[in-house]
Amino acid sequence: MNNFKFIALNHLEFDYLNDLSAQELCEKDIIKMTVDKFPGFPCRITLEDAEVGEDVFLLNYNHHSANSPYKASGPIFIRKDKVTKDYPMNVIPKMFLHRLLSVRTYDENGMMVKADVFEGNILKDKIEDAFANHKIKYLHIHNAKPGCFNCLVKKVRNADQ
């Protein structure tokens, strides 16, 4: 079995959002929203669904800056005043288990090797199958219907990676 690790986005990259006025957010094409349903607002720094009543920011994020034709950006939610959650090796955050997911696998050059769509309850098997291919170095998980990026999953050899 190949080990894997879910990598949430670093909250330090988004801390500035907490200090921006409504006008400043608007000028940067960022929307501050109050969560009105659960689940429905998956946070990319905690890899958890935001709770009803929480504030989140919706912004465009460059999630694949590889030097390849597969560069990509898209909308993501960030929960206000939260810090990055670190997940242990081979642990899948709960928010993925109830979603229809799109997984895109990449080689060391940022070139897509394979893509698939499936229900989140089989995600662990799909990750293990993907990483059995020695060409695949990492994968991106997206929400299949809206197509939004969720997170990076890396192939790891041990818990220190």
Side-chain angles (χ1 to χ4, degrees), residues 107-122:
D107 67 15
E108 63 189 24
N109 298 313
M111 294 296 291
M112 189 182 299
V113 176
K114 184 179 175 186
D116 198 1
V117 174
F118 50 84
E119 293 292 336
N121 61 345
I122 62 170

Side-chain angles (χ1 to χ4, degrees), residues 68-116:
S68 85
Y70 290 99
K71 287 180 186 174
S73 67
I76 62 169
F77 290 110
I78 299 294
R79 294 161 80 189
K80 186 176 191 284
D81 296 323
K82 296 293 181 182
V83 297
T84 301
K85 189 163 182 180
D86 184 35
Y87 289 86
M89 187 170 61
N90 300 327
V91 170
I92 296 176
K94 186 171 77 170
M95 80 170 202
F96 294 101
L97 302 178
H98 61 83
R99 287 188 159 82
L100 181 63
L101 303 172
S102 167
V103 172
R104 302 166 191 177
T105 64
Y106 298 94
D107 67 15
E108 63 189 24
N109 298 313
M111 294 296 291
M112 189 182 299
V113 176
K114 184 179 175 186
D116 198 1

